[in-house]
């Protein structure tokens, strides 16, 4: 069972081998924008989550949360508090679960409020935007999210909460510069003197990649390689 219609849900729905999800409920219909403050959006996710938990009592429950929750010192806004509440609902109502705490996701570069898509579309549409001078973020390609979820479903039977992302921490300004290099378009941005960052270790996922020989190469050049493929694919289409 796959709940949702966005990018995460679609990438699982497009898998030709749907039999492997017959004992799994993949909940991919939540609030995606970490700047969201709309209580109605949070309530919609909560209601759908509770319905899905009720319908999937005998299935492994997969949920996508935020890795910022693993940074105890990082201040939590309404979105992060909501995600933590959803995690607690899952822990209290599901016998078995896989909670994937993910950083900045990117896949289809359509216009969207998430950071990577926002930066890309602002640049290609020649729109001015703000960049914090001392902001850092972790990232992961949506294809790798699916790759790791599938691998964990095959390998881990017990309830699990895991930070799922490339362990290299990027300065947001460097993400902008990468987009400039790949697109050949100069970004129009205002640099704001402000810090916004947290540090994670990703030890479990690093060990999992090594021991299970997952076909993913993390590191500093991860974003450049992955986003270059995404942009080239969108140009071909």
């Amino acid at each position: 069972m796959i709940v949702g219609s966005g990018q995460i849900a679609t990438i699982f729905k497009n898998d030709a081998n749907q039999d492997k999800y017959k004992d799994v409920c993949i909940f991919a219909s939540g609030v995606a924008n970490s700047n969201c403050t709309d209580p109605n959006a949070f309530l919609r996710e909560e209601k759908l989550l509770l319905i899905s938990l009720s319908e999937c009592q005998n299935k492994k429950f997969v949920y996508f949360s935020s890795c910022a929750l693993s940074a105890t010192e990082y201040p939590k806004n309404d979105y992060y508090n909501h995600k933590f509440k959803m995690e607690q609902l899952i822990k209290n109502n599901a016998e078995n679960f896989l909670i994937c705490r993910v950083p900045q996701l990117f896949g289809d570069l359509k216009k969207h409020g998430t950071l990577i898509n926002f930066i890309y579309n602002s640049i290609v549409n020649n729109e001015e935007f703000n960049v914090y001078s001392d902001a850092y973020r972790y990232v992961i390609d949506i294809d790798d999210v699916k790759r790791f979820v599938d691998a964990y479903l095959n390998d881990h039977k017990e309830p699990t909460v895991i930070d799922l992302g490339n362990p290299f921490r990027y300065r947001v300004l460097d993400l902008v510069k990468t987009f400039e290099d790949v697109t050949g378009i100069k970004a129009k941005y205002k640099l704001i003197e402000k810090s916004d960052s947290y540090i994670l270790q990703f030890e479990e996922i690093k060990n999992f990649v090594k021991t299970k020989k997952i076909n993913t190469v993390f590191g500093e050049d991860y974003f450049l390689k992955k986003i270059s493929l995404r942009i080239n694919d969108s140009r071909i289409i």
Side-chain angles (χ1 to χ4, degrees):
M1 180 177 178
I2 300 170
V3 182
S5 58
Q7 283 196 82
I8 295 179
T10 300
I11 202 169
F12 285 97
K13 288 179 179 179
N14 287 344
D15 193 310
N17 181 17
Q18 288 294 303
D19 283 347
K20 64 185 175 184
Y21 302 127
K22 68 181 187 303
D23 296 321
V24 178
C25 178
I26 297 175
F27 187 90
S29 184
V31 179
N33 189 343
S34 61
N35 291 318
C36 180
T37 59
D38 182 5
N40 291 321
F42 297 145
L43 184 58
R44 280 195 298 272
E45 179 180 347
E46 182 177 347
K47 287 181 176 178
L48 182 58
L49 179 67
L50 288 171
I51 291 171
S52 300
L53 284 166
S54 177
E55 293 176 347
C56 300
Q57 291 183 1
N58 298 318
K59 298 178 183 289
K60 179 121 176 173
F61 201 89
V62 180
Y63 181 75
F64 300 93
S65 186
S66 171
C67 67
L69 295 181
S70 297
T72 56
E73 78 289 351
Y74 188 67
K76 306 301 187 292
N77 61 17
D78 291 346
Y79 169 84
Y80 297 124
N81 289 329
H82 165 73
K83 284 297 183 184
F84 180 76
K85 181 181 179 182
M86 298 305 97
E87 288 190 5
Q88 296 306 116
L89 285 176
I90 294 166
K91 292 176 181 178
N92 293 334
N93 291 278
E95 290 187 9
N96 200 355
F97 55 82
L98 172 61
I99 296 175
C100 300
R101 289 180 169 177
V102 296
Q104 295 296 326
L105 280 171
F106 60 94
D108 183 350
L109 292 171
K110 65 182 180 180
K111 197 164 187 177
H112 196 274
T114 51
L115 179 66
I116 303 300
N117 289 45
F118 171 77
I119 293 173
Y120 172 75
N121 282 282
S122 295
I123 291 174
V124 298
N125 292 311
N126 199 33
E127 297 171 349
E128 187 176 65
F129 58 99
N130 294 334
V131 179
Y132 291 165
S133 61
D134 193 35
Y136 290 80
R137 288 295 183 269
Y138 298 94
V139 303
I140 191 167
D141 186 284
I142 197 168
D143 286 339
D144 284 330
V145 171
K146 182 180 184 300
R147 185 174 292 114
F148 281 111
V149 169
D150 285 347
Y152 260 83
L153 291 175
N154 286 332
D155 187 78
H156 280 61
K157 305 306 179 186
E158 69 277 5
T160 303
V161 179
I162 183 171
D163 291 317
L164 184 55
N166 175 29
F168 184 83
R169 191 176 71 139
Y170 294 91
R171 190 182 182 197
V172 172
L173 186 58
D174 290 333
L175 297 177
V176 174
K177 293 183 183 302
T178 298
F179 272 125
E180 289 181 320
D181 292 341
V182 176
T183 63
I185 303 172
K186 182 66 176 176
K188 293 174 61 176
Y189 61 87
K190 182 186 296 184
L191 197 62
I192 307 297
E193 293 297 325
K194 185 174 180 178
S195 297
D196 185 6
S197 64
Y198 51 85
I199 296 176
L200 300 173
Q201 300 304 320
F202 292 100
E203 289 302 323
E204 184 173 351
I205 199 64
K206 286 189 285 188
N207 291 334
F208 193 73
V209 169
K210 183 177 180 180
T211 57
K212 301 301 177 181
K213 299 180 180 178
I214 304 295
N215 185 27
T216 296
V217 180
F218 284 145
E220 184 175 358
D221 62 352
Y222 174 86
F223 182 71
L224 172 60
K225 290 179 178 178
K226 294 287 186 176
I227 211 65
S228 295
L229 290 173
R230 290 288 180 183
I231 291 174
N232 288 334
D233 286 347
S234 66
R235 286 171 175 168
I236 292 171
I237 295 171

